[in-house]
Amino acid sequence: MQETTPEKQTRKRPKVNEVNEFLEIASDFEDPLEVIREALSNSYDAGATEVEISIKSRAQESEIIIEDNGRGMSESDLESFFDLGNSTKSDPEHDSIGYKGHGTKILYKSNQIIVDTAQEGKNLHAVMDKPWDTLNNRELPEYEVTESTTRPGNDGTRIKVTGFKSGRGFAPESLTYNKIEHYLKWKTLAGSTKYHFHPEQFRDLEITVRLDDGIDDSRERLVTNNKLEFPEEQLDPGEEPFPEARMCKHYGPKTLQIEADNGETTELEVVGMVGGKDARDELPTYGRHSAQFGIWLAKDHIKVERLNEAISHDNEFIHFLFIANSQDIELSANREKIRNKSSAIYQAIETELNYFLSKVAADPWFKGYLEQRRVAELNRKASTQQKSVEERKKAVTERGRFEATNQSEVILGLERSNREGAKPTITVEDFDLGADVNALVEQNGRLYGSSVHLKLTDHFEEDKPLESVGKILCWEIGDRDKLREIERRGYQNGHVEFDLESNRITYGTKSRHTIHIVEVPSRFD
Amino acid sequence: MSFDVPETKVANFDVKSTIGDARSGTLRIKDTELETPNLLPVLNFYAGGLARSLYGGGIHRTMKEFMTGDDVIGGGDYSEYFDGVMTSVGSLTDYNISRERYEDYIAEPVKEREVFEEFNGTLFLDSGGFKFLGGYELDGSNFEVEIDQAKIFEIQQRMGGDIIVNLDRPIAPDDDYETRVEKARRTAENVVEFLNLSEGTMSARFLTLHGYNYSMLDTFLGEIDDIVGASRVHDEFDGVALGSLVPLKDNKGRLIDAIQDCRSILKDWGFDDLPLHVLGISSSAIPLLAAVGADSFDSSSYLHSAINGKYNTSLTGSKSIDEVDFSKCNCPVCSNEVLVSRMKGNAEYRKDELGPVAMHNLIVQKREVAYIRDCIRSPGTDDLIEYLESTLGQNKSMRLFAHRVVNESLGGYF
């Protein structure tokens, strides 16, 4: 290759289309409830002890107002709030939840954002109009900030979002207190397990949600805390038909020290419970049980993704609710997925969690719980069986005489007819239900290859041979037209004739032989 | 004033420590002491060869050279790994030996032979019932000896075992009830003869038991009780050896069942103070079975692994001998340049290459069993649980068994 001398050298930096970035990030958030999730995290990170969320449905557009008593924002905090990827919470080890600076961008999917934030006597009032329309016109929306003074000691932040749009269209009418409560407990820091592991760092957050009466007037407001609380333990079974249903045992909190193959280390904070359906029903659920229970990996002690493979296949994950938190799992921008699954540390977490849960599954209490389920199921079955015995007894009492309903009962009937003196005596010497010629019967010292059926027609419907059959024992003849058809068409390449008057079948291909029909009920006449 | 009570027991089993069902103690017989749980390597003292070749050839011979610290292996003191040794009367049939050679082999007790004068461990002499009567083709006919209880006892005495057992009739997993009862009955008849013949012996006598669960063992002991009398069993035997488990060796769950049930039956029959030896089961089962109350084991797996080119890294793990970095092991074999060179293939005979591997394997196994013993002797269950977690717990197919013994014997995790 020919050598060249550089004449001009330039250094270039890849460009980012800022508008597209904002659109991309904001579009990642689909569920309008994610607005609440982000707001709670921000309020907690701002040191708030109280946060109130109001959702109002207006004729034109909806309003979401989030107000907290945290430490408020400085000018640079406010800039970060509107900026992209410029979080002030840069230290992931620090006691804060978001740090990518993406979360608040969900608010851009609206018609207006107004922020009022007070810090140390100074109030900042910021207004951004039509952020979503502006972005979609390929422009960066701007906001106006007005500074004023306020009473010291009155710190806090109030955010009002008007006309929020989600992919499905934000319909506040679809929200209910019940739905929001369950969402909060399942998906946000309101369902945090942190208090189990770091009680000294843990700070109570009182969360109040108010919905417009037009949205849900079932109650005035919803108040909850930031703890995922498990149903009370009940180690012993109850006495109901489902004695295991309220059984519940707590496991942990336990901190597992993990070392990956590459030497990286982390702590996995595991807490959870095993329990029956009634116990599980005491927990808030967001969606179906089957979609919610199992083993959750968490970051910031908030559930992210399930890892139900951590429970071996012979155990149903539905009995378990475990939350395993590691600050070394990394999340996608919208916090919905773990993005470092191929890392050594993630693999080590998976292995360790697998091991921990194998111990839970081997716990004698859990085995006892499963045994309770099994025994209860057997008992329920037995009671159904008992019922069926009762029904059968009733049927037997009501009928006038013995009636065979299957092959074995045909034999019972035959034996009974012998006992009552029917002649000739025919006894079944050998019975093999699966064999083509399923019985050997004895009559006057001679053995006959025989076939036992409830109906004579069954023999032909089952396509059994006739060659080595001397007798067919049956309770009834069955559909005589079927026999006539067989007579007409022949049977297994042979000629067959039914003489039901004299209880005979003649059959043969070249030579013929006679088969005796024993219609058992006639022996009682 | 005190009266002398005739002492029929030769052995003294002193349990020093128990955690859960696991126990650790000292078994004293004559001038030998065996710390339990312990693993007795299986050796063949008479494997082929001539008297001048240490009574045996092949890899067995190399093992005996290690046992006695022979110059051939560069000397050294390996006696701590031979504190107990298992051999079987049945091993006399391993090689086609003549009547003359046989007479020579049993002419003098093992420990009194000059070649074995360095050996001072406990010698367990199995009856060979598994070989003679377990359905195998072998019998004593190739050296023209008719095998019966009297002959077995005679051989055991002449070889000078510290522990001897009655001639037993092992059961098989597919034996039906009648067959098992018949085998128990015939074993019981041997037990009577054995006790009569061995009255006054200086060897400790172990009763062989066969069964895979409580009911089978109960039936077996029921026959013994009918024919021998329970009190005689209790007063005259020094220990119990549970047999017939070899066909179940790969089914850890059934092995745990068998040992747990055996300990229960011994307790219910009042024999719980006797040491319990598990015949023919070792390696990865040892931690599990020790945790549920087995006191000693015997094994030839160290030898068979070596013959198959496997180098043990633990009771449960091994590597192919070709892949081993010997510098990673601090055992006396791997620390010896000459032996390492032989293990790398620089040896004229295969036995010289694989013998040291077998010795290394034995050392690894013995060290691990000693560690288990220490865990049982340390206060609390934490050490043993941690050991089970860090070994068997790391293996997905084994961890359920580790969990089981932790839950059933050591108080559980939660």
Side-chain angles (χ1 to χ4, degrees):
Chain A
M1 197 172 154
Q2 205 178 347
E3 264 189 39
T4 55
T5 318
E7 289 172 4
K8 186 183 165 197
Q9 240 178 4
T10 50
R11 197 169 181 80
K12 296 207 171 193
R13 165 185 288 242
K15 289 197 183 74
V16 180
N17 181 322
E18 292 168 326
V19 173
N20 281 349
E21 271 306 287
F22 271 95
L23 279 171
E24 230 8 77
I25 300 292
S27 301
D28 256 0
F29 297 87
E30 277 295 317
D31 191 336
L33 289 168
E34 289 174 50
V35 174
I36 297 177
R37 185 182 67 194
E38 292 305 318
L40 287 179
S41 296
N42 286 333
S43 296
Y44 185 82
D45 291 346
T49 54
E50 287 170 23
V51 58
E52 186 170 322
I53 298 157
S54 311
I55 301 178
K56 295 174 182 171
S57 179
R58 293 282 175 263
Q60 297 303 314
E61 48 194 7
S62 62
E63 268 181 28
I64 305 170
I65 299 165
I66 302 142
E67 202 167 352
D68 72 44
N69 66 346
R71 69 179 80 86
M73 290 187 247
S74 65
E75 266 175 71
S76 69
D77 290 339
L78 188 64
E79 280 172 20
S80 300
F81 177 86
F82 284 107
D83 285 357
L84 180 64
N86 185 22
S87 172
T88 50
K89 297 174 273 184
S90 54
D91 176 11
E93 294 297 315
H94 186 260
D95 174 33
S96 67
I97 293 169
Y99 63 96
K100 290 196 177 76
H102 284 171
T104 49
K105 264 41 81 181
I106 185 176
L107 305 179
Y108 275 60
K109 292 173 83 172
S110 65
N111 283 339
Q112 190 185 51
I113 306 168
I114 300 177
V115 180
D116 278 286
T117 186
Q119 189 178 65
E120 294 167 2
K122 192 164 85 175
N123 187 73
L124 298 173
H125 175 77
V127 181
M128 179 182 268
D129 274 319
K130 301 205 177 308
W132 195 237
D133 288 350
T134 313
L135 282 173
N136 279 293
N137 286 333
R138 306 289 148 183
E139 282 176 42
L140 270 184
E142 294 179 347
Y143 58 98
E144 257 183 36
V145 185
T146 316
E147 193 181 316
S148 57
T149 52
T150 182
R151 190 159 46 86
N154 198 19
D155 294 354
T157 300
R158 180 178 192 271
I159 300 165
K160 181 177 161 193
V161 184
T162 311
F164 182 81
K165 306 161 201 307
S166 78
R168 296 184 291 273
F170 181 41
E173 297 75 23
S174 71
L175 296 175
T176 60
Y177 283 116
N178 189 47
K179 184 176 174 189
I180 291 179
E181 182 177 14
H182 287 197
Y183 174 84
L184 289 178
K185 284 294 176 192
W186 212 269
K187 295 276 197 177
T188 77
L189 68 77
S192 168
T193 54
K194 184 174 178 178
Y195 71 104
H196 286 289
F197 300 97
H198 306 282
E200 71 296 339
Q201 282 178 20
F202 179 74
R203 176 162 33 87
D204 264 312
L205 181 65
E206 187 182 283
I207 302 161
T208 307
V209 180
R210 286 179 200 278
L211 296 177
D212 232 6
D213 280 357
I215 300 173
D216 183 357
D217 62 357
S218 62
R219 54 176 149 163
E220 200 189 323
R221 60 187 176 150
L222 161 72
V223 183
T224 186
N225 60 12
N226 52 336
K227 293 176 181 175
L228 178 74
E229 284 158 310
F230 296 108
E232 229 173 87
E233 279 200 321
Q234 183 190 309
L235 299 179
D236 297 322
E239 282 169 4
E240 315 75 46
F242 293 85
E244 82 291 354
R246 185 52 191 81
M247 285 175 79
C248 178
K249 184 176 177 181
H250 298 172
Y251 290 85
K254 180 132 180 99
T255 304
L256 308 173
Q257 306 296 332
I258 292 176
E259 186 174 349
D261 290 342
N262 64 357
E264 282 179 53
T265 60
T266 190
E267 286 186 343
L268 190 68
E269 296 169 327
V270 192
V271 64
M273 58 157 274
V274 177
K277 189 168 178 305
D278 290 354
R280 298 198 301 268
D281 281 343
E282 288 177 28
L283 281 159
T285 52
Y286 186 68
R288 298 188 317 278
H289 266 203
S290 59
Q292 298 303 308
F293 285 88
I295 318 306
W296 285 85
L297 284 170
K299 175 152 188 175
D300 305 317
H301 301 93
I302 304 171
K303 300 176 274 309
V304 181
E305 248 190 87
R306 282 195 301 178
L307 183 73
N308 284 349
E309 305 87 280
I311 275 285
S312 65
H313 300 304
D314 41 351
N315 294 293
E316 289 179 83
F317 67 82
I318 194 87
H319 307 293
F320 298 74
L321 174 59
F322 279 82
I323 294 100
N325 185 74
S326 164
Q327 290 308 98
D328 287 302
I329 62 172
E330 290 172 18
L331 304 184
S332 61
N334 65 0
R335 294 189 63 90
E336 293 282 321
K337 291 250 171 288
I338 294 169
R339 66 168 177 81
N340 61 334
K341 284 190 185 162
S342 55
S343 66
I345 198 75
Y346 181 87
Q347 308 288 335
I349 287 172
E350 207 179 338
T351 306
E352 193 61 33
L353 194 53
N354 211 300
Y355 185 59
F356 179 77
L357 285 161
S358 74
K359 293 198 281 193
V360 173
D363 184 17
W365 181 86
F366 178 61
K367 289 187 180 296
Y369 160 80
L370 290 180
E371 183 61 12
Q372 284 296 336
R373 284 185 87 208
R374 196 182 70 83
V375 169
E377 199 186 328
L378 288 176
N379 285 341
R380 290 193 298 270
K381 238 187 228 168
S383 91
T384 324
Q385 273 168 5
Q386 187 65 34
K387 199 173 158 203
S388 122
V389 167
E390 291 305 321
E391 280 166 4
R392 283 158 67 190
K393 274 185 190 166
K394 192 163 166 255
V396 167
T397 318
E398 281 170 3
R399 76 184 181 203
R401 57 167 201 172
F402 177 77
E403 288 283 344
T405 58
N406 57 47
Q407 285 158 298
S408 308
E409 285 180 352
V410 173
I411 298 174
L412 285 179
L414 182 77
E415 291 297 334
R416 185 182 290 200
S417 69
N418 288 334
R419 227 170 34 240
E420 292 181 5
K423 292 291 171 199
T425 304
I426 304 171
T427 55
V428 177
E429 298 296 325
D430 177 275
F431 183 63
D432 178 353
L433 192 58
D436 262 352
V437 177
N438 59 14
L440 285 180
V441 303
E442 189 264 352
Q443 181 184 330
N444 297 327
R446 224 181 120 187
L447 283 176
Y448 297 87
S450 304
S451 205
V452 181
H453 293 285
L454 187 61
K455 294 176 185 168
L456 176 64
T457 46
D458 293 345
H459 184 96
F460 299 93
E461 279 182 7
E462 289 171 21
D463 210 20
K464 303 264 177 163
L466 280 176
E467 273 86 356
S468 44
V469 174
K471 290 179 191 296
I472 297 181
L473 279 67
C474 60
W475 193 256
E476 54 189 292
I477 300 298
D479 186 338
R480 289 167 194 247
D481 281 342
K482 278 186 187 166
L483 299 179
R484 280 201 345 233
E485 272 303 287
I486 294 163
E487 239 171 13
R488 204 166 68 86
R489 292 168 185 271
Y491 183 68
Q492 295 185 346
N493 295 326
H495 180 78
V496 65
E497 270 174 42
F498 296 94
D499 179 357
L500 299 178
E501 293 286 303
S502 47
N503 295 323
R504 279 168 199 281
I505 303 170
T506 48
Y507 175 76
T509 44
K510 288 174 188 155
S511 62
R512 304 268 177 100
H513 80 283
T514 305
I515 298 153
H516 182 209
I517 303 168
V518 181
E519 205 181 339
V520 176
S522 69
R523 293 166 54 84
F524 293 98
D525 294 338
Chain B
M1 192 175 165
S2 66
F3 296 96
D4 284 338
V5 178
E7 180 58 77
T8 52
K9 295 215 177 194
V10 173
N12 172 280
F13 183 50
D14 177 19
V15 175
K16 289 180 175 163
S17 163
T18 58
I19 51 164
D21 297 325
R23 60 186 185 183
S24 174
T26 309
L27 177 63
R28 293 185 187 84
I29 302 164
K30 295 185 231 173
D31 53 355
T32 70
E33 269 191 17
L34 195 66
E35 299 301 326
T36 67
N38 211 325
L39 168 67
L40 281 58
V42 172
L43 281 189
N44 188 337
F45 282 89
Y46 298 103
L50 301 169
R52 65 171 186 278
S53 64
L54 259 177
Y55 277 92
I59 199 166
H60 285 287
R61 176 179 162 188
T62 314
M63 286 311 296
K64 282 173 280 184
E65 286 161 352
F66 275 106
M67 187 176 89
T68 56
D70 197 280
D71 287 342
V72 180
I73 49 99
D77 181 5
Y78 293 85
S79 60
E80 64 175 299
Y81 308 109
F82 296 93
D83 51 355
V85 163
M86 158 70 84
T87 195
S88 167
V89 171
S91 66
L92 289 171
T93 63
D94 283 354
Y95 296 79
N96 285 320
I97 57 171
S98 64
R99 172 85 197 196
E100 184 191 6
R101 180 64 52 217
Y102 161 75
E103 291 291 350
D104 183 25
Y105 283 163
I106 62 169
E108 202 179 351
V110 171
K111 286 183 173 179
E112 287 173 26
R113 290 174 187 269
E114 200 184 331
V115 283
F116 296 128
E117 66 183 2
E118 296 296 323
F119 170 53
N120 59 8
T122 307
L123 180 63
F124 192 135
L125 255 175
D126 192 10
S127 67
F130 184 68
K131 270 207 157 113
F132 291 124
L133 307 171
Y136 294 80
E137 296 280 309
L138 288 164
D139 55 25
S141 59
N142 48 358
F143 43 83
E144 295 160 11
V145 175
E146 198 165 315
I147 292 298
D148 58 16
Q149 178 59 69
K151 184 47 87 182
I152 291 287
F153 175 68
E154 184 200 325
I155 298 172
Q156 284 170 329
Q157 285 302 95
R158 290 177 71 178
M159 285 170 75
D162 296 305
I163 300 173
I164 56 175
V165 292
N166 58 285
L167 179 61
D168 50 348
R169 302 246 163 202
I171 59 170
D174 52 0
D175 280 353
D176 58 20
Y177 176 79
E178 284 74 21
T179 308
R180 290 198 308 271
V181 171
E182 173 64 11
K183 286 177 173 178
R185 192 184 57 74
R186 294 180 67 180
T187 302
E189 285 163 1
N190 283 344
V191 168
V192 174
E193 194 179 354
F194 176 75
L195 286 177
N196 291 342
L197 288 165
S198 61
E199 207 175 323
T201 181
M202 288 309 289
S203 303
R205 296 176 292 183
F206 275 38
L207 170 71
T208 56
L209 279 186
H210 297 276
Y212 302 138
N213 58 39
Y214 189 96
S215 303
M216 285 190 191
L217 289 161
D218 195 47
T219 300
F220 195 96
L221 274 173
E223 287 300 311
I224 302 277
D225 186 50
D226 282 352
I227 295 170
V228 188
S231 61
R232 224 182 148 193
V233 171
H234 190 254
D235 294 342
E236 298 183 33
F237 278 107
D238 302 277
V240 168
L242 181 64
S244 298
L245 297 181
V246 175
L248 307 184
K249 69 179 166 48
D250 296 323
N251 188 332
K252 302 288 183 285
R254 290 193 68 186
L255 290 179
I256 295 169
D257 289 343
I259 303 303
Q260 280 179 330
D261 286 6
C262 189
R263 280 294 303 269
S264 299
I265 199 95
L266 293 177
K267 191 167 177 223
D268 292 350
W269 283 74
F271 305 143
D272 199 32
D273 51 342
L274 299 179
L276 171 60
H277 181 85
V278 181
L279 290 162
I281 297 293
S282 69
S283 294
S284 57
I286 288 182
L288 300 170
L289 303 188
V292 296
D295 299 305
S296 56
F297 305 86
D298 62 89
S299 167
S300 54
S301 70
Y302 72 97
L303 203 75
H304 291 130
S305 291
I307 291 168
N308 293 322
K310 284 185 184 162
Y311 173 96
N312 279 61
T313 51
S314 67
L315 271 178
T316 49
S318 65
K319 279 182 181 176
S320 166
I321 186 77
D322 309 324
E323 296 164 7
V324 175
D325 175 358
F326 296 98
S327 69
K328 301 260 188 209
C329 175
N330 67 358
C331 87
V333 174
C334 297
S335 309
N336 180 316
E337 277 177 36
V338 176
L339 296 175
V340 168
S341 169
R342 287 185 196 169
M343 287 194 284
K344 285 180 176 168
N346 305 317
E348 191 178 347
Y349 301 106
R350 193 78 174 141
K351 72 176 175 62
D352 296 325
E353 186 185 333
L354 297 183
V357 178
M359 188 61 219
H360 157 87
N361 289 348
L362 176 61
I363 292 169
V364 167
Q365 294 186 3
K366 291 286 283 189
R367 281 182 173 180
E368 212 158 325
V369 173
Y371 186 77
I372 293 169
R373 196 158 61 227
D374 289 345
C375 289
I376 299 173
R377 289 182 182 190
S378 63
T381 54
D382 289 355
D383 289 351
L384 187 56
I385 292 178
E386 199 184 313
Y387 169 78
L388 290 166
E389 290 213 274
S390 62
T391 53
L392 302 174
Q394 297 311 305
N395 177 326
K396 273 197 179 173
S397 61
M398 294 293 286
R399 69 170 49 152
L400 285 181
F401 303 114
H403 293 341
R404 183 177 156 191
V405 301
V406 170
N407 283 323
E408 292 178 10
S409 167
L410 302 174
Y413 295 104
F414 301 106

